[in-house]
Amino acid sequence: MQIDRGAYPDAVTPWDDPAWRAAALGWLDARLEEAGVRETGQRRVRVRPWSVIVRVEAEDPVWFKAASPGSAFEAGLGEALSRWVPSHVLRPYAVDAARGWSLLPSGGPLLRTLEIGPREWEEALTQYADLQLALVPRAEALLGLGVPDARVGSLPAIFDEAVAGNGTLEAAERERLGRFRPRLVAWCEELADIGVPDSLDHADLHDGQILVADPGRYTFFDWGDANVGHPFCSLLVALDRAADDHGQEVVARLENAYLEPWTDGHSMADLRRAAELARRLSQLTRAGSWARLFPAAASIGDPERAAALLRLAG
C-alpha cells in the first residue's frame, strides 16, 4: 500500500497501531465482499491528524474513512443524510457509527477538477441551500447523532472554552480577545433576532468537497467539520474559494444565489446582514473543528485554533 502523510509525517494516528490497522482493514475487506466490489489495483492510504482514508481501486473507486473521535459522528451522519436528503449526498456502502468508520462510493468528479465558472458555483450553492432547508426540521435529530452544537446561543460559551483551552495564545492576545467578547455577544444576539433557523453547517464547504453527480446536479461530502448551527456560516469558505478562482466581484452574485431559497419570511436585506454576521462568526466554528484531531495529534490544532480566534476578533 502507498502511504501519504502529507504535511504531517510525524503525527501519530491509529494507523500506526497494528491492532487498530488489522481491525480496520478486516472491516474494510468484509464490507467490500458484501458490496461485491472487486479490487483492480494497489490501495492508497491517506493519513492525517483528523482521519485515515484508504482508496480502493475498482471499476469505480471506493473509499474507507476512519474519522477521529471528535468527528466520529460523521459515519452515522452520512448514513442519516443518505435517508433524509438522498439526492444531495453520497449513499454509503456501509458504516460503523460506533467506531466512526464509513465505506463510501465514488460520486463523480470533484468540482475543482472541472473547468467551471460562477454559474456552476451558483447552482452548487443553491442546491446546498436546499439541503440545509430540508434539514431544518432535523436539527434536534442531528444533535442526537452527536453532531456538535454550535447554535448561535451557545457561541459565547464556545468562545470562552476555546480561549481558555488554547495554550498557544500569548497574554496580549488573550487580553485582545477579552476586549472583543462583548462585540461577539452583540453579533450573536443580532443574528439570532433575524430568525433564520438552525440547520447543518458543513463548516468547510469548498470545491474539493463538492461532487458533480450528473450535469447540473451536485452532491456534498466530507462532513467531519460539520456542526448544528447557523446555516449561513457555510458561506465563509465557499465564497472565499470562489473569489480566489473568479475574483472578488463574484461574491455578491453567489451570495444572492445562495440566499434566494431562504427568502420565505425574510427580506433580502436581513438575509444579507445575517450572512455578514455568520461569515464572521464562522471563524469560531472553524476554530472548534481543529479540536477534533486524533488525541495523540491534538497539539497540532492549537496554532490553527488560535489563528481563527484572532481572525474573528479582527
Side-chain angles (χ1 to χ4, degrees), residues 18-233:
W20 183 95
R21 191 166 62 245
L25 293 178
W27 184 88
L28 170 59
D29 290 340
R31 304 293 84 75
L32 290 173
E33 183 175 356
E34 290 171 358
V37 174
R38 186 175 67 84
E39 296 188 56
T40 60
Q42 185 180 31
R43 294 177 179 180
R44 288 183 275 175
V45 182
R46 182 179 182 270
V47 179
R48 296 293 187 269
W50 52 86
S51 67
V52 174
I53 295 175
V54 180
R55 175 180 167 126
V56 177
E57 296 299 332
E59 182 177 358
D60 289 311
V62 299
W63 282 264
F64 163 81
K65 181 173 185 178
S68 65
S71 294
F73 65 84
E74 185 182 5
L77 173 61
E79 190 279 328
L81 293 178
S82 73
R83 291 185 283 107
W84 294 339
V85 284
S87 64
H88 295 297
V89 297
L90 297 172
R91 180 180 180 182
Y93 283 119
V95 301
D96 184 327
R99 291 190 284 192
W101 294 353
S102 305
L103 185 64
L104 299 165
S106 175
L110 291 172
L111 188 63
R112 69 162 48 148
T113 65
L114 304 177
E115 292 290 333
I116 65 165
R119 182 177 64 81
E120 287 78 13
W121 267 109
E122 283 183 315
E123 292 173 346
L125 288 175
T126 299
Q127 291 175 34
Y128 178 69
D130 291 341
L131 174 152
Q132 290 181 300
L133 281 162
L135 293 175
V136 164
R138 308 277 190 180
E140 290 296 331
L142 289 165
L143 293 169
L145 291 171
V147 181
D149 184 352
R151 290 174 292 182
V152 174
S154 65
L155 291 182
I158 292 173
F159 174 83
D160 293 341
E161 182 179 349
V163 173
N166 194 295
T168 65
L169 289 167
E170 298 179 358
E173 293 170 332
R174 291 182 183 278
E175 183 179 350
R176 174 183 162 194
L177 291 169
R179 292 194 304 270
F180 164 73
R181 190 183 188 280
R183 192 173 5 147
L184 169 74
V185 172
W187 285 349
C188 290
E189 291 173 349
E190 182 182 359
L191 183 58
D193 286 345
I194 293 172
V196 174
D198 298 313
S199 186
L200 185 65
D201 167 25
H202 186 286
D204 193 29
L205 184 68
H206 56 72
D207 51 0
Q209 317 279 36
I210 303 173
L211 296 164
V212 182
D214 295 300
R217 186 171 75 85
Y218 303 92
T219 55
F220 308 93
F221 74 106
D222 199 356
W223 297 95
D225 292 331
N227 57 74
V228 178
H230 200 286
F232 297 1
C233 287

